[in-house]
Amino acid sequence: MEEKLISQENLKMLVADLIKTNHIVVGQDQKAVGWKRLSLTDDIIVNSKNVPSNLSYKEFLFAKTEPIFYFRNNKDNYDLIEPADGEASPNLDEQKIIFLGAKPCDARSIEIMSHVFNWDYKDKFYNERAERSIVIGVACNHQDEFCFCTSVGLNPTSEAGSDLFLVPLDEKNYALKIVSDKGKEFIQPFTNYLSEGNPKITSEVLAKIKSPEKKFEQAKVREWITSNFEHKLFDKVGETCLGCGQCAFACPVCHCFDIVDEECDYTCGRRMKNWDACQFGLFTLHSSGHNPRETQGKRYRQRIAHKFKYYHDKFSETLCTGCGRCSRGCPVGIDISLILSETKYL
Ligand code: SF4
Ligand code: SF4
C-alpha cells in the first residue's frame, strides 16, 4: 500500500480544487450535527478528535425520501416516467461523491449496506451513488463511553471501507494511505498536492490513537439471542423506549424504507421511497389491525436481533459499526452496547 505525505494546507487546496471541478464533496457540518455538501466558502474540517456527528452521511446514498417513478394514466394503460435529474439527492448524474474525513465507523457503512441493496433486488439508486463514491477516511482520535467499534471488528485505525485514509502525523500533516484501486485512480490527477517521499507513521504516532475497550463478543451475543428470544430484557427496554426512531435515523447502516404511492389526482401520481424504522408501531401493523410486533419490547428485540444475528446469518456481516450514535442521541438513555454487554451476565 502506498503512503504519501499531505499537509493540512494542501488538503484544503485539494478539496477546493475538487469543488471547483464539480465534484460533490461531503463533509461534516460545523456543529457536527450531520454532513453536508461543502462549498468554497465552508471551513474544511477533518478532525480526528471530533465526536461522531449526530447523523451519519447515509442520506447521500440512501435518500430520506425520493421518487422512484411517476405514473400517468394513458387511456387503458399507465406511462411510467423516470424522476428528473436533480430530484434525487444527490442527483443521479456522473459526478463523484467524496466523503471527506469519514471515521472508520462511517467508512465501513457503505459496504455493509451494499449487501441488502444487492440481495433480492439491485437498488439502482443506492448502487449508482455507492459506485460514484470515494471515501477519504481518517484515523479516529475520539472515544467516549458510547463507542464500541472494537466489539464489531473495527478499530480507530481501520481502513476498511476507505479508498484513501488519513493518519494525522502532527498538527499540520497527514500520512495519506492509498487503500483501494478506486482511490489510486481518483488521486492520480491531484498528486501535485502530495509531497515527495514517504511519511513516517511511527509507533509514537500510533500510540496517540487510543482504542475503545471491547465490550462484548459478537459470536456470544448471537448465541445468546438464539436461545433467549423471549427474554424479559427486551420487555424491560421496551418499557423505556419511546419508539421515536432516532436510533435508526442516526445509524449509518439502518436501511428500512417504506414505499407509498402519492396521487396527484385521479390520473397521475408518484411512487415514493421514504425512510422507516422498526421501532415505529406502524412499521409492522397489518391492514387487518393485527400487529405481530405489538409491544415496544418486541420492536426493540427486532432491532437487536436484526443487527447482531439475522443480518449476520444472511450476509456474514454485523449490521453495526459501533459508532455509538444511537445511544448518544437516545432521549431516554438506552445504550445498545451496555445492553449487549449485559447479555453475558443474564
Ligand atoms: S432512540 Fe431510544 S427511545 Fe428512540 S426508538 Fe431508539 S431506543 Fe427507543
Ligand atoms: S446500531 Fe448504533 S452503534 Fe451500531 S452503527 Fe447503528 S447507530 Fe452506530
Side-chain angles (χ1 to χ4, degrees), residues 4-13 44 46-49 138 141 166-176 193-195 199-200 205 208:
K4 300 283 178 192
L5 186 72
I6 185 166
S7 66
Q8 210 165 55
E9 249 350 270
N10 276 11
L11 182 63
K12 285 185 182 178
M13 287 199 280
I44 310 300
V46 178
N47 188 345
S48 66
K49 293 181 184 154
V138 66
N141 240 324
L166 296 161
V167 181
L169 298 175
D170 52 43
E171 292 303 308
K172 292 192 175 153
N173 295 291
Y174 297 97
L176 178 84
Y193 295 109
L194 310 178
S195 305
K200 292 214 167 26
V205 167
K208 282 190 205 148

Side-chain angles (χ1 to χ4, degrees), residues 237 240-248 279 296 300 303 326 329-334:
V237 180
T240 317
C241 174
L242 304 172
C244 66
Q246 180 281 147
C247 46
Q279 297 309 287
Q296 202 56 37
Y300 197 81
R303 178 169 175 76
C326 52
C330 178
V332 290
I334 294 173

Side-chain angles (χ1 to χ4, degrees), residues 138-163:
V138 66
C140 179
N141 240 324
H142 166 86
Q143 57 167 294
D144 60 23
E145 73 265 38
F146 302 115
C147 293
F148 60 99
C149 61
T150 45
S151 307
V152 290
L154 294 171
N155 66 67
T157 56
S158 168
E159 294 149 15
S162 289
D163 297 297

Side-chain angles (χ1 to χ4, degrees), residues 259-320:
I259 292 181
V260 287
D261 284 349
E262 295 176 352
E263 289 174 22
C264 61
D265 59 27
Y266 293 114
T267 60
C268 63
R270 58 183 186 173
R271 181 157 294 175
M272 299 295 291
K273 187 167 91 170
N274 305 313
W275 281 9
D276 206 344
C278 61
Q279 297 309 287
F280 296 151
L282 283 178
F283 188 75
T284 45
L285 183 64
H286 297 185
S287 51
S288 65
H290 170 64
N291 193 340
R293 289 189 212 131
E294 78 280 22
T295 64
Q296 202 56 37
K298 287 185 179 173
R299 298 194 268 274
Y300 197 81
R301 175 176 68 196
Q302 170 63 19
R303 178 169 175 76
I304 295 276
H306 185 208
K307 287 188 169 295
F308 295 93
K309 175 162 169 50
Y310 308 151
Y311 205 79
H312 191 278
D313 289 351
K314 200 166 194 66
F315 303 121
S316 305
E317 187 94 82
T318 296
L319 189 59
C320 173

